[in-house]
Amino acid sequence: MTLAIIGGTGLTQISDLTIIGQKTLDTPFGAPSADYVFGKINGRQLVFLARHGNPHRIPPHKINYRANIWGLKQLGVTEIIAVAAVGGISSAMAPAHIAIPDQLIDYSYGREHTFFADDLEHVTHIDFTEPYSPDLRQRIIQAANDAGIAITANGTYGCTQGPRLETVAEIKRLAQDGCDLVGMTGMPEASLARELEMAYANISVVANWGAGIVAGEITMAEIERNLEIGMNKAIALLKATVLLS
């Protein structure tokens, strides 16, 4: 069992990761976002990938999700924990809070979203009833409990196109659809992992309230301040989860 961590906005590297090597890969789908970094946390080996590149330069709608996931599969990865910065919609999802979503709704468009598109011997469908792998989710939740890290152990992630933030009306629509969180990178990452039969779970770090939840504009200063707090919690949670792997 080989674990990979995909880091999103605010997590281009992990300070406690002892780096033992890195690898540049080319894939049939082009170049991944960055080199794959091999390292150890608490003595456990894992692979780390910066989703937006390192430095952070690739916007959500331009990420080569297929190359990223294909490369992890080629490296022998069987489990992926994806860390993502999100906006909070439901009342429990306050800035700097952490959630482990169990459902998602995909509002993105125009992204290369499947490996099963061309030169097929037969049409291939995947079961996506539970988009996040239950066993991996439960391990993360257990690690949070063991480490005393406050989380919300469920929630629905709404994936929008980006890179702009949403309007007040769009957040209202997401809330009416049942979304608790809004992010820009949750799909097609999750479904691509399922297509290649890798376990996948998400750690969502709330960077800000969604538009209109509280009064005023959303500022980058606010997002960066909340992410600094939230990502420190996420790193502690990752370390605790690795111990259970």
Side-chain angles (χ1 to χ4, degrees):
M1 177 175 64
T2 301
L3 174 67
I5 296 170
I6 299 178
T9 299
L11 190 65
T12 56
Q13 56 187 350
I14 300 176
S15 59
D16 291 342
L17 181 67
T18 301
I19 298 174
I20 57 178
Q22 62 184 47
K23 188 168 187 177
T24 303
L25 281 183
D26 193 18
T27 80
F29 306 98
S33 295
D35 287 350
Y36 296 92
V37 176
F38 301 89
K40 289 184 178 182
I41 294 179
N42 293 330
R44 307 291 178 89
Q45 187 166 330
L46 54 82
V47 181
F48 178 81
L49 176 66
R51 183 189 289 115
H52 296 275
N54 189 12
H56 184 285
R57 68 188 187 281
I58 308 172
H61 66 298
K62 290 292 189 179
I63 292 168
N64 192 337
Y65 294 96
R66 292 194 299 178
N68 287 351
I69 298 300
W70 185 271
L72 291 173
K73 182 70 173 183
Q74 293 303 106
L75 293 172
V77 168
T78 56
E79 297 184 321
I80 300 169
I81 298 177
V83 181
V86 301
I89 299 176
S90 61
S91 59
M93 306 302 180
H97 186 58
I98 288 179
I100 315 299
D102 60 339
Q103 279 295 327
L104 65 80
I105 301 175
D106 186 10
Y107 302 93
S108 67
Y109 52 86
R111 302 180 181 189
E112 295 289 352
H113 65 280
T114 181
F115 295 113
F116 302 128
D118 302 306
D119 302 320
L120 302 178
E121 295 182 3
H122 56 83
V123 176
T124 302
H125 303 283
I126 58 167
D127 173 52
F128 210 47
T129 304
E130 295 186 80
Y132 304 108
S133 304
D135 289 348
L136 184 53
R137 284 190 66 255
Q138 288 305 315
R139 198 184 316 153
I140 296 169
I141 294 166
Q142 182 62 53
N145 292 336
D146 291 348
I149 300 169
I151 63 167
T152 296
N154 52 33
T156 297
Y157 178 121
C159 183
T160 57
Q161 180 70 355
R164 67 169 179 83
L165 300 179
E166 299 73 32
T167 67
V168 171
E170 287 169 333
I171 293 297
K172 286 181 179 178
R173 176 200 174 190
L174 291 169
Q176 290 169 353
D177 286 351
C179 295
D180 301 288
L181 305 159
V182 56
M184 302 175 189
T185 59
M187 285 291 288
E189 199 172 82
S191 59
L192 291 170
R194 180 65 52 85
E195 286 186 351
L196 294 187
E197 300 181 338
M198 290 186 284
Y200 179 96
N202 175 281
I203 295 176
S204 285
V205 180
V206 182
N208 56 276
W209 285 114
I213 302 296
V214 297
E217 294 184 359
I218 301 167
T219 67
M220 287 308 300
E222 170 193 0
I223 289 173
E224 290 169 1
R225 183 171 60 251
N226 292 324
L227 279 181
E228 183 176 358
I229 299 169
M231 284 301 172
N232 284 334
K233 296 178 185 177
I235 290 171
L237 178 53
L238 288 169
K239 291 169 62 178
T241 303
V242 167
L243 286 175
L244 296 180
S245 298

